[in-house]
Amino acid sequence: MTFIGVSTELEAGMAELSTPVRVYVAAGRFTEPDPDLPELAGRIRTLLAAVAVDEAWRRFLSGYAPPSVPEICAALEPVETHEAAAFLARVAGVDLVWPSHRHLPAATAERAADRVVSLLGPEASWWTNHDAGCGAVNGLTPLFDSLLAGTDGEHFALALQIADD
């Protein structure tokens, strides 16, 4: 598959995981040579900036500026590739504040998440702002947020759920 095909399919898969006002996504192909975690963090920062100017969240994020790339890198924890699809389906489908509420039907979220993880492949690197060891979240916003970011070194996929109680 050409890189244009992968990018297009990644964008389509991530769009299926997006929900208005709650789950924000981004996907594409890096333009930098040899992208690594800082370039992925730069894409995360861009997504955070888009949330901050969204009319639905602007009043909650007044004066907010996304963390710097080094701060985002420091907030990220690795996720095993075999756990990425289930994690992505949860970020997209299950509400952060009210876990009994779903943003997407489970089957829809799982199918789209499986496809995205498959497109990035078994050698992809996955990152989250969750500390699996203690269950804490390294918040990227002053609100509740949950992020999963993946890259195969050429393409990236990001999903961010944001919530306020």
Side-chain angles (χ1 to χ4, degrees):
M1 185 176 305
T2 66
F3 70 83
I4 294 173
V6 170
S7 293
T8 300
E9 288 195 46
L10 270 176
E11 289 169 8
M14 292 305 291
E16 287 184 59
L17 295 169
S18 175
T19 58
V21 186
R22 288 314 271 263
V23 180
Y24 294 82
V25 301
R29 183 172 184 262
F30 289 107
T31 55
E32 303 89 350
D34 300 320
D36 204 354
L37 189 56
E39 288 76 18
L40 184 63
R43 296 306 191 284
I44 294 167
R45 190 170 198 280
T46 299
L47 183 61
L48 291 168
V51 171
V53 298
D54 185 315
E55 187 175 326
W57 294 105
R58 204 174 340 177
R59 67 187 169 114
F60 296 104
L61 296 170
S62 178
Y64 167 77
S68 68
V69 166
E71 289 170 325
I72 293 171
C73 288
L76 298 178
E77 300 285 336
V79 173
E80 296 293 328
T81 301
H82 69 274
E83 298 172 353
F87 199 114
L88 182 55
R90 278 192 313 277
V91 168
V94 179
D95 190 85
L96 287 172
V97 178
W98 304 104
S100 61
H101 176 74
R102 294 207 57 96
H103 296 293
L104 292 173
T108 301
E110 289 166 5
R111 180 183 42 75
D114 285 344
R115 180 68 180 142
V116 167
V117 171
S118 172
L119 284 166
L120 288 180
E123 300 302 315
S125 297
W126 291 91
W127 302 89
T128 184
N129 62 329
H130 294 254
D131 184 330
C134 69
V137 176
N138 301 317
L140 297 170
T141 71
L143 304 171
F144 295 108
D145 57 69
S146 182
L147 169 82
L148 185 66
T151 180
D152 64 1
E154 185 176 350
H155 303 91
F156 64 91
L158 312 174
L160 172 74
Q161 185 183 142
I162 191 161
D164 186 38
D165 67 347

